[in-house]
Amino acid sequence: MAISRRQFVLQSAAVYTALASIKVNALAKAVEETGIKDLYKHDFHIGTAISGSNMRASDSSFLGLVSREFSAITMENSMKWERIHPTPERWDWETADKFVDFGEKHNMYMLGHVLVWHSQVPDWVFQDEKGKLISREALLKRMGSHIGNLAGRYAGRMTAWDVVNEAIDEDKGWRKSPWFNTIGADFMDHAFNFAHDADPKAHLVYNDYNMQNPAKRAFLVDYIRKAKKRGVPIQGVGLQGHVGLDFPNIQEFEDSIEAYAAEGMRIHITEFDMDVLPVAWEFMGAEISTNFEYSDELNPYADGLPAAVEQRLNDRYVEFFKLFLKHRDKIERVTLWGTGDGESWKNNFPVVGRTNYPLLFDREYKRKPCYDAIAALKK
C-alpha cells in the first residue's frame, strides 16, 4: 500500500530519532565504561592498590570500578610476609589467589607486593625456636624458600614483583635491617636472584620512598651499576610517590626518573597519593612504625576540603602527571595507593584519626576534580 509524502517524512523522522537515541545511549555507555586507564593507554599503565578486605568482599560495584578505571593492580597488604606466611608451616593463599584471578580475568598488569621487606615480617623469620638470631645461611635459606613458594606459585601469571622494599636509609646507605645485619649487603642480590629463579618471566623491581633524595639516588645508582656487572636481574625501580602539596621538589623527582632510567631501569610510580594535611613535625617519610599524637591543628579539613585547597590539589596532580607524560618512554606504570579517599592509609599516617583527600575518588568512589584535571591532559 502506498504512503503519502507526509507519512514518509514522519516515518523517516521517527527512524532517525530512534537511531540517534541508540547512538546517544551507546555513547553514554561507552563513556561510562571508559576509565582513566583508557585515556593513558598509549602512555603507561594506570593502577591502584586493593586492600585485602575489598578483595575478599568481592563487591561487584567496587571491583567494577577498579576494572573500568585501572589497567594495573597491586595487593596492598595481603602478600606481605606476616599476612601470607604468618607461621613457618602456614600459608594463607585465599586473598592473593582472588587477586590474581581478578587480574587475569580483566587482563591487568599485576604487581606482587612484596617479597623482602624489613617491616611486617614475623619474628620467627629471623629467630630460632629459642628466640635467638639465626645464621646467615639459615636466613638465606628462609628467604629463598619464601620467595620460591610465593613467586613460584604465580610464576607466569604475575607481571612484576616488588622484590625488595625500602632497603636504603635515606643518606645513610643500607638500612640496618635484620636482613642486612644477618646476611650482609649482598642480601638484595640474593633476593633478586631467588625471584628470577622462581619466575624468570616476571619483571623485577626495587621499591622505596623519598626516591628524589639526591644521596639516596646516588647510592641506588651505584648499587645498580655494580649489581648489573654481577648479573643481578634488577629491571625496574619503583618511586613510591607519597607526595604533598609542597613536597618533594619536582625537579629532584624528575632528576631521579632520569638517573634510574639512564641505568637501564624501567620506572614505576608505585604508591602515588597526594597528602593535603599539615606535615607532622616536618615528617615526610613512609616508615610505617612512625606515629605522632593527634591534634585538631593537624586535622583542619575534617568537614570537607576548602575550594582553595582543592584547587592546589588539582594543580599539583596536573604538575606530576605532566611530568609523567614527559617521561612516558621511561615509565611502565603509575599506581595510586588506593582507590577512594576513605580507604587511604594517609588518614591514619603518621597521625591516627585524620581526614585526608589524597586520591582520585572521594569517599563514595565518585570522581574528584583532580581526576577530571588529569583526564583533561589527554583530551
Side-chain angles (χ1 to χ4, degrees):
M1 181 175 66
I3 62 173
S4 68
R5 179 179 178 81
R6 181 173 180 277
Q7 288 175 314
F8 175 79
V9 170
L10 289 173
Q11 288 181 10
S12 297
V15 170
Y16 177 82
T17 300
L19 290 173
S21 177
I22 292 172
K23 185 177 180 180
V24 168
N25 289 337
L27 180 60
K29 184 177 181 181
V31 170
E32 183 181 334
E33 292 176 350
T34 298
I36 196 73
K37 72 178 192 303
D38 301 295
L39 297 177
Y40 282 83
K41 64 182 178 181
H42 297 302
D43 305 303
F44 37 72
H45 290 282
I46 300 286
T48 186
I50 304 177
S51 70
S53 58
N54 276 335
M55 198 74 255
R56 289 187 295 274
S58 299
D59 180 88
S60 59
S61 177
F62 173 79
L63 294 179
L65 172 70
V66 169
S67 63
R68 181 177 70 246
E69 295 286 351
F70 301 102
S71 59
I73 51 174
T74 300
M75 193 81 262
E76 185 181 33
N77 284 301
S78 294
M79 286 186 179
K80 292 174 180 175
W81 202 313
E82 69 176 9
R83 301 287 181 89
I84 203 163
H85 193 188
T87 63
E89 305 302 325
R90 180 187 166 201
W91 288 83
D92 186 353
W93 299 112
E94 179 185 3
T95 308
D97 283 352
K98 285 186 175 182
F99 169 85
V100 174
D101 290 344
F102 173 76
E104 285 187 330
K105 178 181 177 181
H106 296 284
N107 195 31
M108 304 177 92
Y109 188 110
M110 289 181 283
L111 188 286
H113 178 75
V114 54
L115 295 174
V116 175
W117 190 23
H118 65 275
S119 190
Q120 293 182 255
V121 183
D123 290 340
W124 67 262
V125 175
F126 306 110
Q127 300 173 358
D128 61 19
E129 295 82 357
K130 297 180 180 179
K132 294 183 178 180
L133 293 177
I134 59 176
S135 67
R136 165 187 161 89
E137 291 71 23
L139 186 54
L140 278 171
K141 184 176 180 180
R142 287 185 183 178
M143 177 198 283
S145 176
H146 177 83
I147 292 175
N149 279 302
L150 180 48
R153 183 179 180 87
Y154 304 114
R157 303 173 71 190
M158 195 70 72
T159 316
W161 280 99
D162 281 337
V163 178
V164 177
N165 198 47
E166 301 173 4
I168 303 171
D169 190 6
E170 301 307 316
D171 59 352
K172 302 178 182 66
W174 292 113
R175 181 187 297 276
K176 303 307 183 288
S177 70
W179 297 109
F180 177 88
N181 291 338
T182 300
I183 296 173
D186 63 341
F187 83 93
M188 196 146 107
D189 287 16
H190 286 284
F192 275 91
N193 286 324
F194 286 141
H196 182 67
D197 290 343
D199 188 357
K201 294 183 178 180
H203 180 72
L204 305 181
V205 179
Y206 173 73
N207 186 55
D208 211 333
Y209 60 83
N210 285 353
M211 294 292 274
Q212 73 283 346
N213 180 321
K216 197 168 194 173
R217 178 199 311 145
F219 185 86
L220 179 57
V221 165
D222 182 66
Y223 168 77
I224 292 170
R225 289 175 180 171
K226 293 174 180 176
K228 286 170 65 178
K229 290 180 180 179
R230 295 191 294 269
V232 177
I234 180 171
Q235 298 154 339
V237 171
L239 292 75
Q240 288 187 11
H242 298 299
V243 303
L245 299 179
D246 302 308
F247 65 88
N249 179 293
I250 200 160
Q251 183 59 58
E252 290 184 345
F253 202 95
E254 181 175 19
D255 289 346
S256 287
I257 290 175
E258 293 176 333
Y260 304 135
E263 301 305 319
M265 299 293 102
R266 291 295 292 167
I267 302 301
H268 300 250
I269 311 301
T270 59
E271 303 180 18
F272 197 80
D273 47 28
M274 187 78 65
D275 196 334
V276 303
L277 298 181
V279 174
W281 297 94
E282 300 303 315
F283 177 78
M284 292 184 288
E287 169 55 54
I288 65 168
S289 62
T290 306
N291 60 79
F292 297 95
E293 185 176 350
Y294 175 90
S295 70
D296 288 340
E297 290 76 14
L298 294 175
N299 189 32
Y301 312 130
D303 297 323
L305 204 57
V309 180
E310 181 109 60
Q311 187 59 55
R312 290 180 64 198
L313 174 67
N314 300 344
D315 293 344
R316 188 69 160 157
Y317 256 103
V318 167
E319 184 179 25
F320 269 97
F321 269 77
K322 281 184 176 179
L323 175 65
F324 301 154
L325 286 169
K326 178 181 177 181
H327 294 286
R328 59 168 68 87
D329 60 318
K330 307 173 184 69
I331 294 176
E332 187 90 359
R333 65 186 170 92
V334 176
T335 290
L336 284 296
W337 203 239
T339 304
D341 286 341
E343 69 188 59
S344 172
W345 75 308
K346 298 303 292 184
N347 293 300
N348 291 307
F349 180 87
V351 180
V352 175
R354 296 199 293 177
T355 304
N356 216 325
Y357 304 84
L359 300 171
L360 296 179
F361 294 84
D362 66 16
R363 283 166 168 75
E364 296 179 349
Y365 293 105
K366 295 178 181 177
R367 294 173 177 175
K368 292 165 52 179
C370 56
Y371 178 107
D372 298 330
I374 65 169
L377 295 175
K378 296 298 298 178
K379 293 180 180 177

